[in-house]
Amino acid sequence: MNIVVCVKQVPDSAAKVVVEEGHITWGDAPLVINPWDEYAVEAALQKAKEHGGKVTALGLGKEEETEALKHALAMGCNEAIMISDPALVRIDNLAAAKAIAAAIRKMDEVDLVVFGKQAIDSDTGMMAAQVARLLGLPALTLVSAIPALDPDSKTIRVVRSIEEGKQVVEGKLPAVISVGKDYGEPRYPSFMGIRKAARATIPVWGLEDLGIEAPSPVVLWSEVMNPPVRDVTTEIIEGETPKEIAEKLADKIMAEKVI
Amino acid sequence: MDFDLTEEQSMVQKMVRDFAQKEIVPTIKEQDRKQEMAPFVIPRMGELGILGACIPVRYGGQGMDYISLGLACEELEAVDTSLRVVLSVHTGLCALTLLQWGTEDQKQKYLNPLAKGELVGCGAFSEPGAGSDFANIVGSAKRDGDVYVLNGEKMWISLANVADIAVVTMRTNPHAEKLSRGLTTFLVDLHSPGVTRDDIHGKLGVRAGSTGWISFQDVRVPVENRIGEEGEGFKVTMSSFDNGRYTVAAGATGLIRASLEASVAYAKERKTFGKPISNHQMIQAKIARMSRDYEASRLLYLRAGTLKNQGIRNTRETSLAKWVATEASFNAASEAVQIHGGYGFSDEYNVERYLRNAKGAMIYEGSNEIQQLIQASYALGYRKDKPLRRELPAFDEEYWQEENL
Ligand SMILES: Cc1cc2nc3c(=O)[nH]c(=O)nc-3n(C[C@H](O)[C@H](O)[C@H](O)COP(=O)(O)OP(=O)(O)OC[C@H]3O[C@@H](n4cnc5c(N)ncnc54)[C@H](O)[C@@H]3O)c2cc1C
Ligand SMILES: Cc1cc2nc3c(=O)[nH]c(=O)nc-3n(C[C@H](O)[C@H](O)[C@H](O)COP(=O)(O)OP(=O)(O)OC[C@H]3O[C@@H](n4cnc5c(N)ncnc54)[C@H](O)[C@@H]3O)c2cc1C
């Protein structure tokens, strides 16, 4: 099996992301692997172990921003590739999907492409579907389990966690999947993996390597601003019995015209 | 000295942080109340390689450097002191003593399983009657053919009830000219006949950890388990402390950080006199002091770790790092409780636990009074380090990480 797992680098979830002079900044907070992508790496590594084969981590970003790829290597991925090009700075989601799809096309015979369900910075959750569409592959998103996968007959069955409940779907390989939290806790990087990752040099693929033109964005960020500050006050409603508290709460809600 | 972390060190730090945050934070308050270590903790630390992080791969370890050990301690104690204590005694007092003083056979037989977490180790030096005045211990070891026969009691021993093996120093020569010359160190299998042990309950802090006593009654220890030469026990023990103290210094730095982070979060949220208490200058002074102490303590332990990596004797620097960081951590935790007002006094918040835990580190691994005596004696020129017969080996990446020997 040849598995590609796409990982994105995002500001640490504890970072405070704000707009300063029209630019988004997270101060000096560290960049980390998008937490959802850790589940994707976990799924990819498990499947590679079960069926043999290798896992390649694929990232897109500035050449030096390799933390996410190194984290994926330290977790156990066999290789990592960074897509980076000055023309890919500040692009939109679709343009990024085009670059990623081109990189996957460049690799030989990929059986499975794995994404995290969304990225915690842009939060669109569209990347897996977009890349699948560009590659003409089935998109199986929001996967919480992969009960069956057969590289010989080229089939995959997954459980999707959707709002309405669980859904079991089957598809043909190669396929693109996106993985959510229900998949199970991702492993930590091992020390051996850390040593390997720290030494790895990650090949960089630019537009020329991918053989594509600079994708032109369809979405432009003409202006970004901080959300208005909301003044929140908390009031604890007390009472002798739950009934009394509930009644007081109901009165309050009416009085405040919440409903 | 370059205090920037390497990529490898940063990844180790993040990995240990993730482990502690994800797996320990959810249950630590409960374990502290129950005065028990959760049974999964040590096996899990072994499985993840944390117990052997800085031991060469050839001896079953993970091949990281001594700074990585310090970083792991900082991350662990930022969650709970009991976790860091495991590294202090298992790795600091036991495994590193073997790495420094052990014969090749001893390393193969004991360091290997220790590094992998298949055996848990501790260091048993203090006695009911002698802690600071360590040269005055009375526990004895008498040679009888191919074995030494050990008798005596060790007190306040971390992991007493959990460990499989212990580095133990006993008196072999009651007639030595100097008390300190009559001591010898051994590696003792704690499952041997004649060993009894138990935990001490009712401790002020480190309640989620094991601290206890170990009694030796005619315990027969083979001669090949002697660490170093007969009469060399004082030196062996003091070099164990150079490593144990380092982990304590790094851990205490983590406790300062935890106190600082809790204080910052609370101070921004809590309002008095119409504004967040973080806007009151007296609260700011406390926060300022915690930040200062965190940075200073961190630099001091990183310096000690750098010296260890370079194979340079660091008794003075390590002792200073331990003294500064543990005193500052007690202060930081106390001020964190203060900032939390009435809530800080309750175990609904973590800061009261930080305060109780911080006190121990001012006592163990050489009390802070002893650290001051050490610092003074260097400053006054009363003390000079003489080279040891066996020094802690410098970190050599190639040697440390060589595989498939
Ligand atoms: C939680 C915990 C874990 C421990 N774990 C271990 C362990 O794993 N292994 C181990 O061997 N021991 C361990 N100890 C024991 C610890 O090392 C001793 O408690 C410590 O060395 C102090 O010895 P003591 O308790 O006998 O106090 P004492 O030596 O009796 O000292 C009492 C007080 O007098 C002060 N004092 C002593 N001499 C002087 C002096 N010359 N000048 C000024 N003041 C002085 C001391 O600083 C202290 O404040 C642990 C202790 C604790 C609390
Ligand atoms: C064991 C115990 C028993 C108690 N018993 C009683 C009792 O019998 N009756 C009773 O009424 N209350 C009692 N209390 C409550 C106690 O009086 C309050 O906890 C105390 O007044 C602090 O208030 P707080 O906890 O709301 O902290 P806060 O007022 O929120 O203060 C938090 C921190 O901010 C500091 N701070 C606040 N304002 C400023 C400022 N302007 N400048 C600088 N620093 C500032 C405080 O000193 C504190 O360090 C008790 C508390 C405890 C812990």
Side-chain angles (χ1 to χ4, degrees):
Chain A
M1 288 257 299
N2 196 359
I3 304 177
V4 173
V5 58
C6 298
V7 298
K8 186 178 188 184
Q9 187 140 297
V10 297
D12 189 284
S13 55
K16 209 169 170 198
V17 180
V18 292
V19 176
E20 270 171 21
E21 292 165 8
H23 291 291
I24 298 169
T25 171
W26 47 86
D28 53 7
L31 289 166
V32 296
I33 183 170
N34 171 37
W36 296 107
D37 297 345
E38 291 185 61
Y39 295 91
V41 175
E42 180 61 40
L45 292 173
Q46 281 184 20
K47 293 301 137 188
K49 183 152 188 242
E50 284 165 27
H51 302 283
K54 68 166 187 180
V55 180
T56 306
L58 180 63
L60 186 160
K62 287 191 199 137
E63 209 175 317
E64 67 281 4
E65 291 179 350
T66 54
E67 280 91 341
L69 286 172
K70 294 238 160 158
H71 189 96
L73 284 174
M75 283 176 76
C77 290
N78 306 82
E79 283 169 30
I81 294 165
M82 177 67 123
I83 307 169
S84 189
D85 197 289
L88 294 174
V89 177
R90 285 171 201 265
I91 47 172
D92 67 0
N93 224 277
L94 183 59
K98 284 179 180 162
I100 289 170
I104 293 168
R105 253 189 233 114
K106 186 176 149 78
M107 298 180 200
D108 33 55
E109 302 226 5
V110 173
D111 300 290
L112 187 65
V113 181
V114 191
F115 284 87
K117 119 181 167 40
Q118 67 202 72
I120 63 161
D121 54 353
S122 50
D123 268 329
T124 65
M126 294 194 298
M127 197 51 92
Q130 290 182 139
V131 169
R133 177 77 181 86
L134 289 165
L135 292 172
L137 300 179
L140 311 175
T141 55
L142 309 177
V143 169
S144 57
I146 308 176
L149 188 153
D150 185 352
D152 296 327
S153 65
K154 297 208 169 288
T155 52
I156 182 170
R157 187 186 319 137
V158 303
V159 180
R160 303 181 66 223
S161 280
I162 53 177
E163 257 179 51
E164 295 80 2
K166 301 263 183 204
Q167 186 183 53
V168 179
V169 279
E170 286 185 0
K172 281 254 163 233
L173 294 178
V176 178
I177 67 172
S178 78
V179 178
K181 208 172 179 168
D182 307 348
Y183 195 87
E185 275 303 305
R187 68 196 65 188
Y188 306 112
S190 69
F191 284 97
M192 215 218 274
I194 289 173
R195 295 202 316 258
K196 205 184 100 193
R199 286 201 197 126
T201 39
I202 296 177
V204 177
W205 290 358
L207 286 179
E208 210 173 305
D209 304 297
L210 299 178
I212 56 168
E213 303 274 296
S216 52
V218 285
V219 179
L220 292 172
W221 296 42
S222 50
E223 192 188 354
V224 279
M225 58 204 124
N226 290 311
V229 186
R230 278 190 297 175
D231 203 9
V232 182
T233 50
T234 314
E235 190 181 339
I236 309 256
I237 295 170
E238 309 210 22
E240 292 289 314
T241 62
K243 185 162 181 282
E244 189 192 327
I245 298 171
E247 276 167 6
K248 278 195 201 162
L249 178 62
D251 290 345
K252 275 257 179 225
I253 291 174
M254 298 300 231
E256 298 278 340
K257 299 201 169 62
V258 178
I259 44 175
Chain B
M1 271 182 190
D2 177 4
F3 293 128
D4 280 342
L5 299 187
T6 64
E7 207 168 21
E8 211 166 87
Q9 290 162 347
S10 304
M11 282 195 266
V12 170
Q13 182 181 35
K14 180 174 183 328
M15 180 270 214
V16 178
R17 178 180 302 179
D18 286 350
F19 155 70
Q21 296 290 340
K22 272 193 203 158
E23 299 189 27
I24 307 298
V25 166
T27 54
I28 187 60
K29 268 187 205 163
E30 197 45 39
Q31 294 304 138
D32 192 78
R33 274 193 208 126
K34 282 203 280 194
Q35 305 200 27
E36 273 172 20
M37 176 171 265
F40 77 88
V41 171
I42 296 182
R44 184 77 175 128
M45 285 169 76
E47 181 184 43
L48 293 174
I50 298 171
L51 294 182
C54 66
I55 306 296
V57 174
R58 66 183 65 217
Y59 296 125
Q62 302 295 339
M64 299 291 163
D65 66 348
Y66 299 110
I67 295 217
S68 298
L69 170 66
L71 295 169
C73 289
E74 181 181 332
E75 293 308 324
L76 293 175
E77 191 154 4
V79 171
D80 195 67
T81 303
S82 60
L83 296 172
R84 191 271 304 149
V85 168
V86 175
L87 283 195
S88 293
V89 305
H90 175 95
T91 306
L93 296 185
C94 193
L96 288 178
T97 304
L98 278 173
L99 182 67
Q100 178 169 357
W101 292 93
T103 61
E104 190 55 33
D105 282 350
Q106 288 171 340
K107 287 183 203 167
Q108 291 301 344
K109 190 164 172 202
Y110 294 108
L111 185 53
N112 223 294
L114 278 171
K116 291 181 180 150
E118 293 162 2
L119 288 180
V120 176
C122 71
F125 308 112
S126 309
E127 295 186 353
S132 306
D133 189 7
F134 175 69
N136 241 323
I137 57 165
V138 295
S140 69
K142 288 204 175 74
R143 179 115 185 211
D144 176 12
D146 292 345
V147 299
Y148 285 90
V149 181
L150 271 54
N151 278 288
E153 191 174 332
K154 296 294 176 182
M155 185 70 178
W156 298 112
I157 307 309
S158 305
L159 302 190
N161 221 3
V162 185
D164 300 293
I165 56 176
V167 171
V168 182
T169 301
M170 293 288 197
R171 181 165 306 285
T172 39
N173 181 3
H175 312 295
E177 230 172 281
K178 260 180 92 180
L179 280 173
S180 60
R181 299 245 170 93
L183 309 182
T184 305
T185 303
F186 303 91
L187 195 69
V188 182
D189 178 348
L190 293 178
H191 306 292
S192 310
V195 174
T196 47
R197 48 188 167 147
D198 209 350
D199 275 346
I200 297 164
H201 286 285
K203 284 178 297 178
L204 174 68
V206 207
R207 290 189 166 182
S210 149
T211 319
W213 52 267
I214 307 179
S215 161
F216 302 84
Q217 267 180 3
D218 295 327
V219 177
R220 299 172 76 80
V221 177
V223 171
E224 62 261 26
N225 277 24
R226 190 184 67 214
I227 303 177
E229 303 294 328
E230 206 169 287
E232 215 171 21
F234 190 80
K235 285 183 181 153
V236 174
T237 307
M238 291 306 125
S239 49
S240 301
F241 285 148
D242 279 353
N243 299 323
R245 272 170 203 164
Y246 170 64
T247 63
V248 174
T253 306
L255 201 148
I256 303 173
R257 193 182 85 204
S259 302
L260 173 62
E261 283 172 1
S263 299
V264 165
Y266 189 82
K268 283 187 177 167
E269 231 170 59
R270 180 75 173 177
K271 285 186 183 157
T272 65
F273 306 100
K275 49 187 175 187
I277 60 170
S278 59
N279 288 12
H280 299 313
Q281 285 190 350
M282 271 193 267
I283 298 293
Q284 291 180 358
K286 298 181 199 300
I287 303 270
R289 184 166 170 177
M290 288 184 213
S291 325
R292 176 197 73 181
D293 288 347
Y294 172 63
E295 295 297 338
S297 300
R298 189 161 186 280
L299 288 173
L300 286 174
Y301 93 70
L302 288 176
R303 175 173 70 155
T306 304
L307 292 174
K308 285 183 195 295
N309 276 352
Q310 295 169 344
I312 299 171
R313 183 70 174 275
N314 52 83
T315 305
R316 182 179 189 172
E317 293 79 6
T318 298
S319 150
L320 182 66
K322 191 267 181 189
W323 173 33
V324 171
T326 56
E327 192 171 276
S329 74
F330 183 69
N331 224 299
S334 173
E335 291 292 39
V337 169
Q338 190 68 20
I339 288 174
H340 282 67
Y343 297 96
F345 200 68
S346 121
D347 70 0
E348 186 188 335
Y349 285 85
N350 290 315
V351 288
E352 62 84 34
R353 193 176 80 247
Y354 299 160
L355 178 60
R356 289 187 288 102
N357 284 347
K359 189 65 209 176
M362 300 172 75
I363 299 168
Y364 52 68
E365 300 263 9
S367 70
N368 280 2
E369 286 76 12
I370 296 301
Q371 308 305 337
Q372 289 174 64
L373 297 182
I374 294 174
Q375 292 307 313
S377 58
Y378 279 114
L380 290 163
Y382 297 163
R383 178 179 177 134
K384 281 220 164 60
D385 293 322
K386 291 190 205 92
L388 292 167
R389 198 172 56 77
R390 307 285 290 268
E391 300 282 1
L392 183 70
F395 173 71
D396 171 347
E397 185 164 311
E398 220 168 283
Y399 175 87
W400 244 246
Q401 301 185 351
E402 199 180 336
E403 288 169 56
N404 308 322
L405 295 162

